[in-house]
Amino acid sequence: MRSKPLFRSLSNIQYHSHLLSNLIAGHIRYTMATLAGTEPISPSNTRLGWIGTGVMGQSMCSHLIKAGYTLTIFTRTQSKAQPLLDIGAHWASSPNAVASQSDVVFSIVGYPSDVRHVLLHPTSGALSGLSPSGILVDMTTSDPSLAVEIADSAAGKSCFSVDAPVSGGDRGARNGTLSIFAGGDESIVKHLHPIFSIMGKVNHMGGPGKGQFAKLANQITICSTMVGLIEGLIYAHKAGLDLPLYLDAISSGAAGSKSLDLYGQRILKRDFEAGFYVNHFVKDLGICLRECEKMGICLPGLALAQQLYVSLKAHGEGDLGTQALILSLERLNNTSLKS
């Protein structure tokens, strides 16, 4: 007698799994049909939208405007978008308004909660204003599960979504040399290539959420690299070495790294202006740790780096750049490179 409810439950699971598979397959067919025969993306046939014009967004938007694209922008503080408005960007009053005037909408905001609000809010979010066949591209470092949710929500409106977080810092954004980690349908990523190529190099990492997973692995690599760079400087300082000479000497050897190139001289000059905020890095590393817990893996280097960066926040230094990690290690060792 008890087997009948169980049988019905299993049948329901199989039915809904079949329904989901058909939905995904149908959306893939729709994707291919939508893109088949379409012209490559260009300023003459594609309107762009952008949500979030902070340290990274400013430079990325300016490249798109200079390439000739019509760009409609929204950010929480309109005055911060003024430099872009001065060179031809158009202002919209909400993410929904951006999307209603755009074919492809990019977002690069602070936190996963911001991503959810600007993209998925039922009335003001970008998806609510996007026309069928429109594309959302979230370049924020965020939760992989949220990227999957956005992709599913977009598919439900016959739209598309790509998670495409970036690496390269403010310099990469200014120079158009960012590494872009894209998760989503490969045909959509290829379709977007003309836009991505203006900002840097795109790497298709797999389906929805895989771009975020790749970026998080990138952050795990960077955080331990930064700890090593800072510890090496503290050691060299205590050993009485000439620090500029030391950095130059190791830059061409096995200890050379992008982090050293980007931040070595800034650290020596006590230039802690944010190319990437400590607050946002702590957010990224927190996401990494939560994902590690889900995976059942232990990454002690990540955990240590996260605690050192959290200590910067505790000292009110969250709005400094990630190179400010030197301050945490100086305090631990009661020393200063200034001396």
Side-chain angles (χ1 to χ4, degrees):
M1 294 295 292
R2 293 181 180 179
S3 63
K4 290 183 179 180
L6 177 60
F7 177 76
R8 283 197 296 270
S9 297
L10 290 173
S11 297
N12 286 336
I13 291 171
Q14 289 172 339
Y15 170 75
H16 286 101
S17 296
H18 180 69
L19 194 64
L20 181 60
S21 297
N22 285 342
L23 178 64
I24 293 170
H27 192 59
I28 290 172
R29 288 194 296 271
Y30 176 79
T31 301
M32 301 308 295
T34 300
L35 297 181
T38 60
E39 296 179 49
I41 282 179
S42 71
S44 65
N45 63 23
T46 305
R47 303 166 302 163
L48 303 184
W50 197 283
I51 301 166
T53 58
V55 172
M56 303 289 286
Q58 284 271 351
S59 295
M60 297 160 81
C61 285
S62 68
H63 293 313
L64 298 176
I65 294 170
K66 290 171 184 176
Y69 283 94
T70 298
L71 188 69
T72 303
I73 61 176
F74 169 80
T75 195
R76 283 180 298 187
T77 307
Q78 184 173 350
S79 60
K80 292 184 178 180
Q82 195 58 49
L84 295 172
L85 299 175
D86 290 341
I87 62 172
H90 304 281
W91 175 257
S93 60
S94 69
N96 174 284
V98 169
S100 68
Q101 303 171 59
S102 306
D103 302 303
V104 182
V105 177
F106 292 85
S107 55
I108 183 164
V109 292
Y111 298 90
S113 58
D114 299 321
V115 174
R116 180 179 294 280
H117 183 77
V118 302
L119 296 186
L120 297 182
H121 190 279
T123 57
S124 64
L127 184 57
S128 67
L130 199 61
S131 298
S133 301
I135 305 172
L136 299 177
V137 183
D138 182 37
M139 308 190 88
T140 315
T141 304
S142 183
D143 292 309
S145 59
L146 179 56
V148 174
E149 181 183 345
I150 294 167
D152 290 343
S153 298
K157 282 200 62 178
S158 298
C159 296
F160 309 100
S161 176
V162 173
D163 48 290
V166 300
S167 181
D170 58 331
R171 184 184 297 181
R174 285 196 305 271
N175 295 338
T177 57
L178 293 168
S179 290
I180 304 168
F181 309 105
D185 188 279
E186 186 174 9
S187 61
I188 294 295
V189 174
K190 287 182 177 178
H191 183 61
L192 293 170
H193 188 269
I195 305 174
F196 284 139
S197 64
I198 295 169
M199 297 181 280
K201 179 188 176 185
V202 64
N203 307 274
H204 181 240
M205 307 308 298
K210 296 303 184 185
Q212 294 295 351
F213 278 120
K215 175 60 188 293
L216 294 174
N218 177 83
Q219 300 301 72
I220 291 168
T221 305
I222 287 175
C223 71
S224 291
T225 302
M226 285 296 292
V227 172
L229 171 61
I230 299 300
E231 288 186 342
L233 280 168
I234 294 287
Y235 181 86
H237 169 67
K238 294 297 286 186
L241 295 178
D242 180 292
L243 294 183
L245 181 61
Y246 160 73
L247 286 181
D248 184 62
I250 68 170
S251 65
S252 58
S257 68
K258 182 72 75 172
S259 294
L260 189 157
D261 295 339
L262 285 173
Y263 299 121
Q265 291 301 321
R266 295 191 200 186
I267 291 168
L268 296 189
K269 295 175 182 177
R270 315 297 287 186
D271 174 7
F272 301 133
E273 184 177 354
F276 192 76
Y277 290 107
V278 166
N279 281 332
H280 291 167
F281 202 39
V282 169
K283 174 262 296 183
D284 292 355
L285 301 184
I287 295 173
C288 291
L289 287 169
R290 289 195 295 275
E291 292 298 325
C292 286
E293 186 174 359
K294 292 177 185 177
M295 296 174 183
I297 59 175
C298 173
L299 301 181
L302 162 64
L304 172 61
Q306 190 259 1
Q307 287 295 292
L308 292 172
Y309 275 104
V310 166
S311 77
L312 291 176
K313 285 192 66 174
H315 281 84
E317 295 157 348
D319 288 331
L320 300 181
T322 51
Q323 68 273 25
L325 183 62
I326 186 67
L327 300 175
S328 179
L329 271 293
E330 285 177 338
R331 283 190 284 263
L332 277 176
N333 291 282
N334 193 28
T335 189
S336 171
L337 300 193
K338 290 190 295 185
S339 60

